[in-house]
Amino acid sequence: MTGRWEVVIGMEVHVQPRTRSKMFCGCAVGHIGDPPNSNVCEICGGMPGVLPVVNKAAVEACLKTALALNCEIPRHTKFDRKNYMYPDLPKGYQISQYDLPMSFNGHLDLDGRRVRIRRVHLEEDTGKLIHAGDKLHKAWESFVDLNRAGVPLMEIVSEPDLRSADEARDYAVALRTLLRTIGASEADMEKGQLRAEPNISIRRFGTDELGVKTELKNINSFRALHRAILYEVARQKEALESGGTVVQETRGWSDAEQRTFSQRSKEFAEDYRYFPEPDLPPLELDPAWIEDLRRALPELPGPRRARLVSDYGLPAADAVLIAADRDLADLFEGAVEAGAEAKPAANWIIGEVAPSGKLPSAAHLAEIVKLVAGGRITRDQGREVLAESLITGRAPSELVAEHGFAQISDEGALRAEIEAVVAANPRAVEDYRAGRRQALGALMADLKKRAPQANPKVASELLQRLLR
Ligand SMILES: [Zn+2]
C-alpha cells in the first residue's frame, strides 16, 4: 500500500484485430520483417482523391470484443478524422471514432474488482519512423515505413477503476486472454499487437476528486507495465509530498533505465480538430447481426474459470491457469471426459503440456494420466511418453508397450535391485543410519539409474525397511 495515497489508474489498450487486410484498403497487414513500404497502396499511402472502404472483419472483431466486454452497441456509428501533422501519418489525419463509437458502457470483472469499460472503438494505426543514429537528436537520416499505416486497431478504454500496478497488469492479462478466447486478436505484445497506455494519478484517501494524471505511452510488455506504474506512482508521491506538483503530460518508459521520462504536455481533444470522415458513410449496425455475433461467442474465461472450480473441484489457482488458454481448457475438459481424474489431468496440463507449447489429443493425455495414476508407468516414463506422443502423434499405450515400460511394483522383483544399491553405497547407508535422512535421496537416485521402472513409492518404503 502507499500509505495515505490512493492510486487511480485508467487504461487505454490498443489491440490489432485479427484481419488479413488493412482497415480501409486491401493491403496485407503484413509481418515483422517485411521489407519497408512493401504493404502500401494509394489509400494507406495517403494519396489524394482515393476512397477508403471499411474492413468488415475488423468491425466484426471490434463488435465481438465489445460484446465480450458487456458493452452496449448503438444502432449507428461513424468514423471521424483526427487531424494532426506527424511524418508517420501520410494523410495528415488518422481515421478514428469520436462521438459515436462502435460501443460503450461495458465492464470486465477481475478477481474481486469490476473495471468499467468506457468504450471500444476502431481506428487505424500510423506508420513508423526509423531514425538512423543512436539518438533522435543525433540522427543523420530519418526514414518512414508505412507498412503499419492503416492497420486496424481497436481501442479499449477503461474508466479509472484500477487501484494498483498489480491490478493494471491483471487487467491487461485478462484482456489478452479474452481477446484470444473469442478469436478477435492474437494479442501478442511482443509483436506490438497489444499496447497498453495507463493513465495514472494519486489522491489522498477519502477524497473523490481525481489528482492530476500522467499518461504512459505504448507499453509493450506486462512486466514493463507493472514496473512503469510502480515507478510513476513513486515519482508522483515524492513530488506531492515534497510540496511540488504533478504536471499533466505524456510520458514514456525506458526499459534500459527503468524510469519514465517526459515526452510532451497533454493534448486536448480540441487540439485535434475532429470532424466526421466525409468519405465513409455512417455504419448502420443491424441488431440481428449483433445478436448472431453475441450467440456465436464462446464461453468467456471468467465464467469458465468459475465452472472449472465448481464442476471439477479444481483449486482456484489451477483454474486460473487453465482457463487463461482456451485450448488448454478444452484439453482439460476433454481429458476428464475421456476418463482422466480432474486434479491429475490439471497437473499434467500445467506442469507438462503448457510449457511444451504443443497440444496432445484429449484421449492421449487421458491415457497417460490413467497409466501413471494406475501405477503402470512412472511419472518420468509418462513424461517421456507424452513428449514422444507429441512428436509422433502415436498413442501412449502403444509407446509404453514398445519401450517395454511397465512399472515394477512387486517387492520381490525390486528387492535384488535395492540390495545392490545398499551394497554399492556404504557411505550413504551409514549416513542414513546416523540419522541424515537426505542420504535416502542419493540411494533412490542410484536405484533410479539401475531400475528406471521401479515404482518410487514402493521402492522407497522397501528401502527404508531394509535399512532399519
Ligand atoms: Zn493500402
Side-chain angles (χ1 to χ4, degrees), residues 349-360:
I349 288 173
I350 293 166
E352 310 296 332
V353 176
S356 81
K358 298 197 194 89
L359 282 179

Side-chain angles (χ1 to χ4, degrees), residues 232-254:
E232 193 52 25
V233 167
R235 191 188 68 84
Q236 292 187 11
K237 204 170 92 178
E238 198 181 300
L240 294 179
E241 283 182 347
S242 65
T245 52
V246 172
V247 186
Q248 182 159 335
E249 63 182 348
T250 299
R251 297 177 69 87
W253 167 249
S254 163

